[in-house]
Amino acid sequence: YLYFGIYDGDRAYYQYDYTTAAQSSLKSFYYFRNGEGFYWTGAAVVGDSVYFGGEGGYVFKRPIGDTFGSATNVYTYLSPDEGGAADAVRSSICYDGSNLYLTTKDAHLWKLSTDLQTKSSVLLKEGTNDPYVQNVSSTPVVSPSGYIYVGGYNITWNNNGTSAYKGALKAVDWSGSAATVTTLWSAASNGAIQSSPVVYSDDGIDYIYFTTNGENGKAVCVSYDTDLGDIATEWSVNSGTYTLQGLAVSDNGYMTFGNDNNQVFVLK
């Protein structure tokens, strides 16, 4: 089964069942018919259910298989203030074996139970005037250390009409009842982190790999000693242009990513 949504047009989420070209089917799910679509929202499969978010601030749980489009609607509404407004889900969902993690555009990181009955959130931006993070579309990643890593961005306009792509990488410790957020890296230009990071943990140190968006975007590696709190930028590689795509990592240590100039980079 393949799962994907569309932002305009039919504004549906789809389950594509492919066996052969002659044996395939497409099932559609529409939520509330309110005209809100799905933008950058990849799905996560847990057991016999699939989870995904939408522009209206909802997260849905749908059965895999024949009743994907017709089963009773199971969902939760991601409002930081109970009964208040929710913002768009523009991330995919990360499942760590116990909880679901995702972000909303208003810079909240969410933790949900798989039955969607328990939910909590933490704000990733530092106050209302955080220069680096005002929005988040990055998909969280959970390290073996238990830390959650996620990026954010704040795109502003300069007086001369040019834009500044600001952003920051956040580390979240949610081991207790309340989450603590630490900024590991930030940049006032070419720093918008809009993709999902990748994390590798070795001997108590997490290495977080991510790309940044902006006129001269880059790939960056930041190390974080989760015991001592030491933070270091290990390296960065310029991509030469806007870079929304995250890094993919192979088993033998190669990393790849692409940019808006139709170029693919391979790092060792």
Side-chain angles (χ1 to χ4, degrees), residues 84-118:
D87 209 345
V89 178
R90 290 193 173 178
S91 81
S92 297
I93 295 177
C94 173
Y95 176 62
D96 70 347
S98 300
N99 298 292
L100 306 168
Y101 295 92
L102 69 151
T103 59
T104 43
K105 189 183 173 186
D106 57 2
H108 281 86
L109 169 69
W110 290 86
K111 177 168 68 174
L112 309 175
S113 60
T114 54
D115 61 5
L116 302 186
Q117 297 302 302
T118 304

mmCIF file of all heavy atoms in Angstrom, residues 84-118:
data_model
loop_
_atom_site.group_PDB
_atom_site.id
_atom_site.type_symbol
_atom_site.label_atom_id
_atom_site.label_comp_id
_atom_site.label_asym_id
_atom_site.label_seq_id
_atom_site.Cartn_x
_atom_site.Cartn_y
_atom_site.Cartn_z
ATOM 1 N N GLY A 84 -9.332 25.941 21.366
ATOM 2 C CA GLY A 84 -8.844 27.051 20.548
ATOM 3 C C GLY A 84 -8.548 26.628 19.132
ATOM 4 O O GLY A 84 -8.877 25.517 18.696
ATOM 5 N N ALA A 85 -7.895 27.516 18.397
ATOM 6 C CA ALA A 85 -7.580 27.247 16.993
ATOM 7 C C ALA A 85 -6.360 26.340 16.886
ATOM 8 O O ALA A 85 -5.475 26.339 17.738
ATOM 9 C CB ALA A 85 -7.334 28.556 16.262
ATOM 10 N N ALA A 86 -6.336 25.564 15.843
ATOM 11 C CA ALA A 86 -5.180 24.709 15.532
ATOM 12 C C ALA A 86 -4.571 25.181 14.223
ATOM 13 O O ALA A 86 -5.239 25.800 13.398
ATOM 14 C CB ALA A 86 -5.591 23.252 15.431
ATOM 15 N N ASP A 87 -3.294 24.877 14.043
ATOM 16 C CA ASP A 87 -2.619 25.261 12.805
ATOM 17 C C ASP A 87 -2.363 24.015 11.959
ATOM 18 O O ASP A 87 -2.531 22.882 12.414
ATOM 19 C CB ASP A 87 -1.312 25.979 13.108
ATOM 20 C CG ASP A 87 -0.945 26.981 12.019
ATOM 21 O OD1 ASP A 87 -1.531 26.912 10.924
ATOM 22 O OD2 ASP A 87 -0.079 27.835 12.266
ATOM 23 N N ALA A 88 -1.932 24.254 10.733
ATOM 24 C CA ALA A 88 -1.774 23.184 9.760
ATOM 25 C C ALA A 88 -0.683 22.201 10.157
ATOM 26 O O ALA A 88 0.367 22.588 10.674
ATOM 27 C CB ALA A 88 -1.462 23.777 8.385
ATOM 28 N N VAL A 89 -0.940 20.932 9.893
ATOM 29 C CA VAL A 89 0.097 19.899 9.980
ATOM 30 C C VAL A 89 0.794 19.860 8.631
ATOM 31 O O VAL A 89 0.163 19.576 7.612
ATOM 32 C CB VAL A 89 -0.504 18.515 10.306
ATOM 33 C CG1 VAL A 89 0.598 17.455 10.329
ATOM 34 C CG2 VAL A 89 -1.241 18.550 11.628
ATOM 35 N N ARG A 90 2.084 20.158 8.618
ATOM 36 C CA ARG A 90 2.857 20.114 7.384
ATOM 37 C C ARG A 90 4.106 19.261 7.553
ATOM 38 O O ARG A 90 5.119 19.496 6.898
ATOM 39 C CB ARG A 90 3.204 21.530 6.915
ATOM 40 C CG ARG A 90 1.967 22.282 6.425
ATOM 41 C CD ARG A 90 2.305 23.533 5.692
ATOM 42 N NE ARG A 90 1.120 24.129 5.110
ATOM 43 C CZ ARG A 90 1.107 25.267 4.430
ATOM 44 N NH1 ARG A 90 2.243 25.934 4.242
ATOM 45 N NH2 ARG A 90 -0.001 25.747 3.934
ATOM 46 N N SER A 91 4.031 18.292 8.418
ATOM 47 C CA SER A 91 5.125 17.341 8.599
ATOM 48 C C SER A 91 4.593 15.938 8.414
ATOM 49 O O SER A 91 3.380 15.699 8.467
ATOM 50 C CB SER A 91 5.747 17.482 9.998
ATOM 51 O OG SER A 91 4.979 16.805 10.973
ATOM 52 N N SER A 92 5.505 15.021 8.221
ATOM 53 C CA SER A 92 5.136 13.612 8.306
ATOM 54 C C SER A 92 5.113 13.234 9.785
ATOM 55 O O SER A 92 5.290 14.068 10.667
ATOM 56 C CB SER A 92 6.135 12.754 7.533
ATOM 57 O OG SER A 92 6.111 13.074 6.159
ATOM 58 N N ILE A 93 4.874 11.963 10.062
ATOM 59 C CA ILE A 93 4.746 11.488 11.437
ATOM 60 C C ILE A 93 5.863 10.510 11.736
ATOM 61 O O ILE A 93 6.170 9.626 10.930
ATOM 62 C CB ILE A 93 3.371 10.834 11.651
ATOM 63 C CG1 ILE A 93 2.269 11.890 11.505
ATOM 64 C CG2 ILE A 93 3.288 10.163 13.015
ATOM 65 C CD1 ILE A 93 0.867 11.353 11.634
ATOM 66 N N CYS A 94 6.482 10.683 12.898
ATOM 67 C CA CYS A 94 7.531 9.784 13.374
ATOM 68 C C CYS A 94 6.961 8.918 14.491
ATOM 69 O O CYS A 94 6.323 9.435 15.414
ATOM 70 C CB CYS A 94 8.717 10.601 13.880
ATOM 71 S SG CYS A 94 10.015 9.630 14.680
ATOM 72 N N TYR A 95 7.199 7.618 14.420
ATOM 73 C CA TYR A 95 6.746 6.676 15.451
ATOM 74 C C TYR A 95 7.965 6.014 16.062
ATOM 75 O O TYR A 95 8.790 5.428 15.357
ATOM 76 C CB TYR A 95 5.818 5.634 14.830
ATOM 77 C CG TYR A 95 5.366 4.559 15.800
ATOM 78 C CD1 TYR A 95 4.625 4.889 16.925
ATOM 79 C CD2 TYR A 95 5.678 3.221 15.576
ATOM 80 C CE1 TYR A 95 4.197 3.901 17.812
ATOM 81 C CE2 TYR A 95 5.254 2.238 16.449
ATOM 82 C CZ TYR A 95 4.520 2.583 17.572
ATOM 83 O OH TYR A 95 4.109 1.606 18.446
ATOM 84 N N ASP A 96 8.115 6.106 17.383
ATOM 85 C CA ASP A 96 9.306 5.588 18.054
ATOM 86 C C ASP A 96 9.064 4.251 18.746
ATOM 87 O O ASP A 96 9.899 3.806 19.532
ATOM 88 C CB ASP A 96 9.837 6.598 19.061
ATOM 89 C CG ASP A 96 8.927 6.768 20.276
ATOM 90 O OD1 ASP A 96 7.767 6.299 20.228
ATOM 91 O OD2 ASP A 96 9.380 7.364 21.275
ATOM 92 N N GLY A 97 7.951 3.590 18.456
ATOM 93 C CA GLY A 97 7.609 2.333 19.097
ATOM 94 C C GLY A 97 6.624 2.498 20.230
ATOM 95 O O GLY A 97 6.001 1.516 20.670
ATOM 96 N N SER A 98 6.449 3.750 20.691
ATOM 97 C CA SER A 98 5.504 4.032 21.769
ATOM 98 C C SER A 98 4.560 5.179 21.428
ATOM 99 O O SER A 98 3.354 5.084 21.658
ATOM 100 C CB SER A 98 6.261 4.374 23.066
ATOM 101 O OG SER A 98 7.085 3.312 23.476
ATOM 102 N N ASN A 99 5.108 6.259 20.890
ATOM 103 C CA ASN A 99 4.323 7.465 20.627
ATOM 104 C C ASN A 99 4.507 7.939 19.193
ATOM 105 O O ASN A 99 5.475 7.584 18.523
ATOM 106 C CB ASN A 99 4.752 8.583 21.582
ATOM 107 C CG ASN A 99 4.514 8.240 23.029
ATOM 108 O OD1 ASN A 99 3.368 8.135 23.478
ATOM 109 N ND2 ASN A 99 5.588 8.060 23.793
ATOM 110 N N LEU A 100 3.574 8.776 18.764
ATOM 111 C CA LEU A 100 3.651 9.451 17.480
ATOM 112 C C LEU A 100 4.143 10.876 17.717
ATOM 113 O O LEU A 100 3.688 11.547 18.657
ATOM 114 C CB LEU A 100 2.281 9.503 16.805
ATOM 115 C CG LEU A 100 1.533 8.179 16.623
ATOM 116 C CD1 LEU A 100 0.086 8.447 16.213
ATOM 117 C CD2 LEU A 100 2.222 7.319 15.579
ATOM 118 N N TYR A 101 5.057 11.353 16.866
ATOM 119 C CA TYR A 101 5.565 12.719 16.962
ATOM 120 C C TYR A 101 5.369 13.418 15.628
ATOM 121 O O TYR A 101 5.632 12.841 14.564
ATOM 122 C CB TYR A 101 7.049 12.726 17.336
ATOM 123 C CG TYR A 101 7.341 12.168 18.711
ATOM 124 C CD1 TYR A 101 7.647 10.821 18.875
ATOM 125 C CD2 TYR A 101 7.302 12.987 19.834
ATOM 126 C CE1 TYR A 101 7.910 10.303 20.136
ATOM 127 C CE2 TYR A 101 7.557 12.475 21.099
ATOM 128 C CZ TYR A 101 7.867 11.132 21.243
ATOM 129 O OH TYR A 101 8.125 10.622 22.490
ATOM 130 N N LEU A 102 4.941 14.675 15.685
ATOM 131 C CA LEU A 102 4.769 15.479 14.479
ATOM 132 C C LEU A 102 4.795 16.942 14.875
ATOM 133 O O LEU A 102 4.817 17.279 16.074
ATOM 134 C CB LEU A 102 3.464 15.145 13.769
ATOM 135 C CG LEU A 102 2.170 15.551 14.478
ATOM 136 C CD1 LEU A 102 1.074 15.836 13.459
ATOM 137 C CD2 LEU A 102 1.701 14.468 15.431
ATOM 138 N N THR A 103 4.798 17.832 13.899
ATOM 139 C CA THR A 103 4.793 19.261 14.167
ATOM 140 C C THR A 103 3.622 19.924 13.468
ATOM 141 O O THR A 103 3.096 19.423 12.471
ATOM 142 C CB THR A 103 6.101 19.935 13.703
ATOM 143 O OG1 THR A 103 6.265 19.717 12.286
ATOM 144 C CG2 THR A 103 7.293 19.372 14.452
ATOM 145 N N THR A 104 3.227 21.085 13.984
ATOM 146 C CA THR A 104 2.272 21.955 13.312
ATOM 147 C C THR A 104 2.981 23.243 12.917
ATOM 148 O O THR A 104 4.003 23.629 13.511
ATOM 149 C CB THR A 104 1.058 22.273 14.205
ATOM 150 O OG1 THR A 104 1.498 22.557 15.539
ATOM 151 C CG2 THR A 104 0.103 21.100 14.230
ATOM 152 N N LYS A 105 2.426 23.922 11.942
ATOM 153 C CA LYS A 105 3.088 25.084 11.352
ATOM 154 C C LYS A 105 3.349 26.186 12.375
ATOM 155 O O LYS A 105 4.285 26.970 12.232
ATOM 156 C CB LYS A 105 2.242 25.615 10.193
ATOM 157 C CG LYS A 105 2.927 26.682 9.366
ATOM 158 C CD LYS A 105 2.012 27.213 8.285
ATOM 159 C CE LYS A 105 2.644 28.397 7.557
ATOM 160 N NZ LYS A 105 1.698 29.018 6.601
ATOM 161 N N ASP A 106 2.534 26.262 13.436
ATOM 162 C CA ASP A 106 2.697 27.289 14.454
ATOM 163 C C ASP A 106 3.811 26.972 15.447
ATOM 164 O O ASP A 106 3.853 27.519 16.547
ATOM 165 C CB ASP A 106 1.384 27.534 15.200
ATOM 166 C CG ASP A 106 0.833 26.274 15.848
ATOM 167 O OD1 ASP A 106 1.481 25.205 15.749
ATOM 168 O OD2 ASP A 106 -0.249 26.344 16.462
ATOM 169 N N ALA A 107 4.724 26.067 15.061
ATOM 170 C CA ALA A 107 5.951 25.757 15.814
ATOM 171 C C ALA A 107 5.707 24.949 17.078
ATOM 172 O O ALA A 107 6.462 25.058 18.043
ATOM 173 C CB ALA A 107 6.731 27.029 16.142
ATOM 174 N N HIS A 108 4.685 24.107 17.075
ATOM 175 C CA HIS A 108 4.484 23.168 18.172
ATOM 176 C C HIS A 108 4.947 21.769 17.751
ATOM 177 O O HIS A 108 4.697 21.325 16.623
ATOM 178 C CB HIS A 108 3.010 23.096 18.575
ATOM 179 C CG HIS A 108 2.574 24.239 19.445
ATOM 180 N ND1 HIS A 108 2.148 25.435 18.933
ATOM 181 C CD2 HIS A 108 2.526 24.372 20.798
ATOM 182 C CE1 HIS A 108 1.834 26.258 19.920
ATOM 183 N NE2 HIS A 108 2.060 25.640 21.066
ATOM 184 N N LEU A 109 5.633 21.098 18.671
ATOM 185 C CA LEU A 109 5.947 19.683 18.542
ATOM 186 C C LEU A 109 4.922 18.916 19.363
ATOM 187 O O LEU A 109 4.679 19.241 20.525
ATOM 188 C CB LEU A 109 7.360 19.394 19.065
ATOM 189 C CG LEU A 109 7.739 17.919 19.244
ATOM 190 C CD1 LEU A 109 7.858 17.212 17.891
ATOM 191 C CD2 LEU A 109 9.033 17.791 20.038
ATOM 192 N N TRP A 110 4.332 17.882 18.756
ATOM 193 C CA TRP A 110 3.254 17.119 19.388
ATOM 194 C C TRP A 110 3.688 15.688 19.647
ATOM 195 O O TRP A 110 4.386 15.079 18.833
ATOM 196 C CB TRP A 110 2.019 17.114 18.501
ATOM 197 C CG TRP A 110 1.345 18.447 18.414
ATOM 198 C CD1 TRP A 110 1.648 19.475 17.552
ATOM 199 C CD2 TRP A 110 0.283 18.920 19.232
ATOM 200 N NE1 TRP A 110 0.823 20.537 17.777
ATOM 201 C CE2 TRP A 110 -0.028 20.233 18.806
ATOM 202 C CE3 TRP A 110 -0.458 18.355 20.269
ATOM 203 C CZ2 TRP A 110 -1.037 20.992 19.393
ATOM 204 C CZ3 TRP A 110 -1.470 19.104 20.858
ATOM 205 C CH2 TRP A 110 -1.744 20.412 20.416
ATOM 206 N N LYS A 111 3.220 15.159 20.793
ATOM 207 C CA LYS A 111 3.367 13.746 21.125
ATOM 208 C C LYS A 111 1.976 13.167 21.324
ATOM 209 O O LYS A 111 1.207 13.669 22.144
ATOM 210 C CB LYS A 111 4.216 13.550 22.382
ATOM 211 C CG LYS A 111 4.337 12.099 22.813
ATOM 212 C CD LYS A 111 5.401 11.897 23.883
ATOM 213 C CE LYS A 111 5.052 12.518 25.193
ATOM 214 N NZ LYS A 111 6.034 12.192 26.270
ATOM 215 N N LEU A 112 1.664 12.110 20.563
ATOM 216 C CA LEU A 112 0.331 11.505 20.603
ATOM 217 C C LEU A 112 0.435 10.022 20.909
ATOM 218 O O LEU A 112 1.367 9.348 20.473
ATOM 219 C CB LEU A 112 -0.384 11.671 19.255
ATOM 220 C CG LEU A 112 -0.459 13.066 18.629
ATOM 221 C CD1 LEU A 112 -1.103 12.968 17.256
ATOM 222 C CD2 LEU A 112 -1.225 14.018 19.510
ATOM 223 N N SER A 113 -0.547 9.512 21.631
ATOM 224 C CA SER A 113 -0.670 8.070 21.788
ATOM 225 C C SER A 113 -1.271 7.489 20.520
ATOM 226 O O SER A 113 -1.931 8.195 19.739
ATOM 227 C CB SER A 113 -1.557 7.731 22.988
ATOM 228 O OG SER A 113 -2.864 8.277 22.821
ATOM 229 N N THR A 114 -1.083 6.213 20.287
ATOM 230 C CA THR A 114 -1.550 5.608 19.034
ATOM 231 C C THR A 114 -3.075 5.516 18.958
ATOM 232 O O THR A 114 -3.617 5.354 17.864
ATOM 233 C CB THR A 114 -0.940 4.215 18.840
ATOM 234 O OG1 THR A 114 -1.200 3.420 20.002
ATOM 235 C CG2 THR A 114 0.567 4.310 18.618
ATOM 236 N N ASP A 115 -3.776 5.631 20.097
ATOM 237 C CA ASP A 115 -5.244 5.673 20.036
ATOM 238 C C ASP A 115 -5.751 7.102 19.891
ATOM 239 O O ASP A 115 -6.968 7.341 19.858
ATOM 240 C CB ASP A 115 -5.871 5.004 21.258
ATOM 241 C CG ASP A 115 -5.485 5.683 22.572
ATOM 242 O OD1 ASP A 115 -4.808 6.733 22.543
ATOM 243 O OD2 ASP A 115 -5.855 5.147 23.639
ATOM 244 N N LEU A 116 -4.827 8.073 19.847
ATOM 245 C CA LEU A 116 -5.106 9.501 19.690
ATOM 246 C C LEU A 116 -5.870 10.098 20.872
ATOM 247 O O LEU A 116 -6.355 11.235 20.791
ATOM 248 C CB LEU A 116 -5.874 9.774 18.378
ATOM 249 C CG LEU A 116 -5.199 9.318 17.084
ATOM 250 C CD1 LEU A 116 -6.004 9.775 15.874
ATOM 251 C CD2 LEU A 116 -3.767 9.823 16.992
ATOM 252 N N GLN A 117 -5.977 9.371 21.975
ATOM 253 C CA GLN A 117 -6.710 9.863 23.135
ATOM 254 C C GLN A 117 -5.845 10.717 24.051
ATOM 255 O O GLN A 117 -6.360 11.511 24.846
ATOM 256 C CB GLN A 117 -7.291 8.687 23.923
ATOM 257 C CG GLN A 117 -8.307 7.868 23.145
ATOM 258 C CD GLN A 117 -9.467 8.719 22.663
ATOM 259 O OE1 GLN A 117 -10.161 9.349 23.452
ATOM 260 N NE2 GLN A 117 -9.690 8.742 21.355
ATOM 261 N N THR A 118 -4.530 10.550 23.986
ATOM 262 C CA THR A 118 -3.608 11.327 24.813
ATOM 263 C C THR A 118 -2.708 12.148 23.910
ATOM 264 O O THR A 118 -2.115 11.616 22.974
ATOM 265 C CB THR A 118 -2.749 10.404 25.701
ATOM 266 O OG1 THR A 118 -3.619 9.577 26.493
ATOM 267 C CG2 THR A 118 -1.852 11.220 26.618
#
